[in-house]
Structure formats: structure tokens, C-alpha cells
């Protein structure tokens, strides 16, 4: 049985010093600059009032009761459930009870909403502008170069990802073009940025995008354009239909059975 001939391309060793190494260094330096630019562009969050803090904490309390209620007895769960359902429906925890039933404020006229939108726009600019400039730089000076060969085999599905800008259908899939090396660095330098800047860094583009799509627990639950009264009513309905299954029911008998 004949073996498939190994595809060999004689490359200039200077490609490592003039293409591969500069792209990697520029990507690392750009990530570090993006991290400090993100810090400079961040605005100091305003402190919440006591009523606004209570509004958020009571919503979190209701969610925790619904999701972790199996850790308390049925009587305790039913007591908390009845109290919170009545309070949520009455709007007892709203920071502005008079706004119940009214349409939410326009985020374009809300100062807090405008500030949040400006912060998101600054974060997008800090991510998009450097990447656009680097991609234009690579396309202008390094387009069409094949710079390295991966030491492990790959399927043909990786060809479009690893050989961007190289229109050669017969080229082995393990060869990597300069533009594809840029994309590999874009999504593969997270560990380097974590080592240099720490876990909470602004250079990790994937983490920033995930943070924008799913804000953390410290973020404002009632964002611009949201209606807290409807959110409380929705959570009250979820609590009403929540089922309780006490995890410690009959624990004494179960413990004795395991010890016997």
C-alpha cells in the first residue's frame, strides 16, 4: 500500500523573525495596553441608595428562596414564601412605590441608563479599534504568507480557519497562514494575559464579551428600561408554583440505616 507523500515547503527562516514573532509580540503588547485603557475608561460606579439596595437584595432573596428552599423545612419555606409573595405583589420593596403600573423610563433620557450605555460603548471601542488596526496591518504587510506547520495532524475542516488569505486548495491543512496566526493569538493568549496581568484583566477579549452578555452578581439587576414592579410580580408567580422537597426529610432514619 503506497504512502501519502509528505508535503514540504521550503520557507525562509527569516519569516519567524519578521512575521510570526512580531505578530505575537504586537498582540501581547496590544492586550496589555487594552487592559490599562479599559481601567482608565472605567467610570466610578455611583453608590446605590438604601431603597435601591433593598430593592435588589429582596429580589435576590426571592430567587435564593426559590432555588435553595429545599435546605429549610416545609413550614419555614411556606412562611417565607407567603410573606415574599404578598410583599412582591404589593410592591412593598420598590424604591419608588408610586411608579408601580407606570411604563418604564426611557433609557435615552435616564442619566443612569446613558452612563451605562456610554460605559459599554467605551468597552466596545477599546476592543474593536485595536483589533481593526492590527488586522489591517497584517493584511497590508503579511497577507499570503505561510509561516509555520503544526506538528500534529488535523482534519480538512480546520483548513478555512488555519489558512485564511491563502487560496491554495491542495495545501496541507497543517500549514498556518499569517492571518490565521493572528486569530489563533487573539483567542489563545488568555493564559499569557492572566500570567502577566492577573485573573481580572481587561486584555481578555473573550471574558469581556461574556461579561457584557451576562453581567456578574455585583451588576445592577434593574437595568435601563426595566420595570422592577413587573419583575417582582413575575418572581412572585415563580414562588407560588415552586415545589418544596426537604432534603433532610427523615434524615435520622436514613442515618441509622447507613450505620446499621
Amino acid at each position: 500500500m503506497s504512502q501519502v507523500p509528505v508535503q514540504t515547503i521550503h520557507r525562509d527562516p527569516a519569516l519567524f523573525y519578521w512575521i510570526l514573532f512580531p505578530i505575537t509580540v504586537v498582540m501581547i503588547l496590544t492586550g496589555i495596553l487594552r487592559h490599562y485603557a479599559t481601567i482608565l475608561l472605567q467610570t466610578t460606579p455611583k453608590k446605590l441608595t438604601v431603597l435601591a439596595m433593598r430593592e435588589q437584595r429582596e429580589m435576590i432573596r426571592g430567587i435564593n428562596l426559590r432555588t435553595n428552599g429545599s435546605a429549610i423545612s416545609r413550614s419555614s419555606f411556606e412562611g417565607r414564601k407567603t410573606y415574599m409573595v404578598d410583599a412582591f405583589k404589593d410592591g412593598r420593596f420598590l424604591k419608588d412605590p408610586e411608579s408601580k403600573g407606570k411604563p418604564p423610563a426611557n433609557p435615552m433620557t435616564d442619566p443612569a441608563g446613558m452612563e451605562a450605555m456610554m460605559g459599554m460603548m467605551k468597552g466596545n471601542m477599546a476592543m474593536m479599534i485595536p483589533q481593526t488596526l492590527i488586522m489591517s496591518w497584517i493584511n497590508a504587510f503579511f497577507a499570503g504568507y505561510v509561516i509555520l506547520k503544526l506538528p500534529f495532524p488535523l482534519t480538512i475542516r480546520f483548513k478555512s480557519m488555519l489558512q485564511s488569505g491563502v487560496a491554495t486548495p491542495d495545501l496541507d491543512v497543517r500549514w498556518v497562514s499569517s492571518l490565521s496566526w493572528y486569530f489563533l493569538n487573539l483567542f489563545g493568549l488568555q493564559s499569557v494575559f492572566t500570567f502577566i496581568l492577573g485573573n481580572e484583566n481587561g486584555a481578555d477579549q473573550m471574558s469581556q464579551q461574556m461579561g457584557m452578555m451576562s453581567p456578574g452578581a455585583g451588576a445592577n439587576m434593574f437595568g435601563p428600561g426595566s420595570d422592577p414592579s413587573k419583575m417582582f410580580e413575575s418572581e412572585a408567580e415563580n414562588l407560588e408554583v415552586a415545589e418544596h422537597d426537604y432534603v433532610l426529610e427523615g434524615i435520622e432514619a436514613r442515618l441509622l440505616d447507613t450505620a446499621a
Side-chain angles (χ1 to χ4, degrees), residues 40-208:
L40 293 176
L41 292 174
Q42 283 180 349
T43 56
T44 304
K46 295 182 179 180
K47 292 184 178 180
L48 296 175
T49 62
V50 176
L51 295 178
M53 183 69 70
R54 185 189 67 172
E55 185 182 57
Q56 292 191 21
R57 293 296 180 266
E58 291 300 330
M59 174 62 75
I60 296 175
R61 182 184 174 191
I63 296 174
N64 289 337
L65 176 64
R66 176 167 50 87
T67 55
N68 304 316
S70 58
I72 58 179
S73 62
R74 178 172 292 274
S75 59
S76 298
F77 176 79
E78 292 296 336
R80 289 172 172 82
K81 173 182 173 181
T82 303
Y83 167 74
M84 300 195 76
V85 168
D86 294 339
F88 286 178
K89 288 184 176 181
D90 296 339
R92 199 177 304 168
F93 300 125
L94 294 174
K95 66 178 179 181
D96 186 12
E98 297 180 357
S99 63
K100 184 179 180 180
K102 297 180 180 179
N106 188 356
M108 300 302 296
T109 59
D110 186 8
M114 290 295 296
E115 185 177 354
M117 293 173 63
M118 286 298 297
M120 186 177 298
M121 187 180 299
K122 291 178 182 179
N124 290 332
M125 291 176 59
M127 287 191 299
M128 297 302 298
I129 292 178
Q131 302 307 328
T132 303
L133 294 176
I134 294 176
M135 184 178 294
S136 302
W137 169 62
I138 294 174
N139 281 327
F141 294 98
F142 308 129
Y145 284 96
V146 177
I147 55 178
L148 62 91
K149 184 178 182 181
L150 298 177
F152 46 85
L154 294 171
T155 62
I156 196 64
R157 295 181 180 273
F158 289 91
K159 187 175 182 63
S160 60
M161 182 180 68
L162 298 177
Q163 296 177 5
S164 300
V166 180
T168 52
D170 297 330
L171 187 63
D172 190 356
V173 68
R174 290 186 294 173
W175 291 101
V176 181
S177 64
S178 56
L179 186 59
S180 295
W181 180 248
Y182 156 74
F183 288 112
L184 292 176
N185 281 278
L186 180 63
F187 299 106
L189 289 177
Q190 284 82 2
S191 58
V192 177
F193 292 138
T194 302
F195 176 75
I196 298 175
L197 303 172
N199 292 324
E200 300 284 337
N201 64 78
D204 191 347
Q205 186 174 5
M206 294 299 294
S207 297
Q208 287 186 356

Side-chain angles (χ1 to χ4, degrees), residues 5-26:
V6 179
Q7 191 177 71
T8 304
I9 297 178
H10 298 284
R11 295 172 296 112
D12 189 347
L15 292 176
F16 175 82
Y17 302 102
W18 292 104
I19 298 181
L20 189 145
F21 185 70
I23 291 176
T24 306
V25 173
V26 168

